[in-house]
Amino acid sequence: MIVMKNINKFYKLDQEKVQVLKDISLEIQEHEFVAIMGPSGSGKSTLINTISFLDGDFEGDYKFNGEDAYRYNDDKLSRLRNQSVGFVFQAFQLIDNNTVFENVALPLLYGGMKQKQVKDLVMEALTKVGIPDKYNKYPKQLSGGQQQRVAIARAIVGNPKFIVADEPTGALDSRTSEEIMNLFKRLNEEEQVTILMVTHDSEAAEYCKRVITVKDGELLEEGVLHAV
Ligand SMILES: Nc1ncnc2c1ncn2[C@@H]1O[C@H](COP(=O)(O)OP(=O)(O)O)[C@@H](O)[C@H]1O
Ligand SMILES: [Mg+2]
């Protein structure tokens, strides 16, 4: 599904060019559940932003389902991102003034979908994450774990084949993290969703079938779970 070859990326700081991704080659097959680990500042978020069509400013070769999607025009690229990728972040990134229902419905509203279908899909997603009864609440009325469930419902509501999660358990206690990881595991096994997750938490990484380590912008050999 994902094939990266010799990806290099630079940020310009003042006059200086800083290399944040160094010759990264990586393949991820459909239905994989992959953890990316590594120290803070090593380039993990930059790498997944590149993979998930948020940042096309890099050198090298990247193909998603055989296509060089970053060559698409902006409209086609946003459509691909909207339809193919579900995003989950550490800080949940919900809209506080919207209800749970409205937050989850958001990705569907870009597509001009009918009201009834929106309602069915939102309730189905909330049921999958175990909080259908919370649809009318506001994010601030929920616990951290429940808020992350809402964010996951929003990520899966359009039935994307691919979920990208950047430290999804970073703001959660260990018991709640375990619940969220079990939810990802179920989505991976039962719904065949491909999941790519950045984490600092080796317990969370143990749910993944494959662990990749990034250090100083370089991809290290796989499986060095306890080295960081
Ligand atoms: N927009 C940016 N402009 C300049 N430097 C950045 C930017 N984003 C990230 N960096 C730098 O790139 C490096 C990698 O960052 P990041 O990918 O966020 O690491 P991680 O997610 O592993 O903590 C860091 O040194 C960070 O300071
Ligand atoms: Mg990061």
Side-chain angles (χ1 to χ4, degrees):
M1 186 170 87
I2 284 162
V3 182
M4 300 187 111
K5 283 198 188 116
N6 310 109
I7 298 289
N8 287 288
K9 180 173 173 65
F10 303 85
Y11 283 122
K12 281 175 207 75
L13 278 180
D14 301 323
Q15 304 297 349
E16 234 181 307
K17 217 170 151 191
V18 183
Q19 187 162 11
V20 281
L21 296 180
K22 297 175 184 164
D23 207 35
I24 289 194
S25 296
L26 173 65
E27 287 194 24
I28 295 172
Q29 313 300 330
E30 236 169 275
H31 312 325
E32 277 202 274
F33 187 4
V34 184
I36 299 182
M37 300 192 80
S40 224
S42 57
K44 304 180 298 296
S45 294
T46 304
L47 177 63
I48 64 165
N49 291 347
T50 303
I51 291 175
S52 56
F53 312 115
L54 291 172
D55 185 353
D57 183 17
F58 58 84
E59 295 167 10
D61 196 47
Y62 172 38
K63 292 215 166 61
F64 186 78
N65 291 334
E67 296 218 38
D68 189 351
Y70 277 116
R71 298 228 174 149
Y72 293 174
N73 65 33
D74 286 353
D75 271 3
K76 197 171 169 195
L77 185 64
S78 345
R79 218 173 317 130
L80 173 76
R81 189 169 49 226
N82 200 33
Q83 288 170 356
S84 307
V85 193
F87 293 94
V88 180
F89 302 96
Q90 174 173 1
F92 318 137
Q93 300 201 0
L94 301 172
I95 300 170
D96 287 339
N97 295 327
N98 283 4
T99 63
V100 164
F101 184 96
E102 289 162 347
N103 268 283
V104 177
L106 210 58
L108 301 178
L109 299 178
Y110 296 116
M113 194 180 275
K114 289 211 175 66
Q115 215 47 41
K116 165 89 170 83
Q117 200 185 353
V118 169
K119 185 167 175 255
D120 290 348
L121 288 174
V122 169
M123 292 315 293
E124 189 185 317
L126 285 172
T127 302
K128 277 182 193 162
V129 301
I131 50 166
D133 53 319
K134 304 288 187 222
Y135 73 95
N136 222 3
K137 299 269 189 235
Y138 288 87
K140 287 286 184 269
Q141 297 175 300
L142 305 178
S143 69
Q146 289 169 336
Q147 289 183 53
Q148 194 58 302
R149 285 172 191 266
V150 177
I152 295 171
R154 181 184 57 191
I156 62 173
V157 72
N159 282 315
K161 289 266 179 289
F162 183 36
I163 289 180
V164 172
D166 198 347
E167 303 194 33
T169 63
L172 304 175
D173 63 60
S174 61
R175 217 198 66 191
T176 313
S177 297
E178 214 175 292
E179 286 171 19
I180 294 297
M181 289 313 301
N182 277 314
L183 178 55
F184 278 128
K185 185 165 179 254
R186 193 158 52 75
L187 288 170
N188 174 248
E189 287 175 357
E190 291 171 20
E191 314 265 333
Q192 307 290 308
V193 179
T194 309
I195 303 178
L196 181 59
M197 174 185 79
V198 171
T199 186
H200 278 296
D201 176 0
S202 52
E203 279 178 35
E206 277 171 27
Y207 284 80
C208 303
K209 294 172 191 140
R210 178 179 169 201
V211 178
I212 291 168
T213 304
V214 176
K215 200 175 173 205
D216 294 331
E218 284 182 273
L219 205 68
L220 301 187
E221 69 270 36
E222 299 189 11
V224 276
L225 188 54
H226 302 288
V228 287

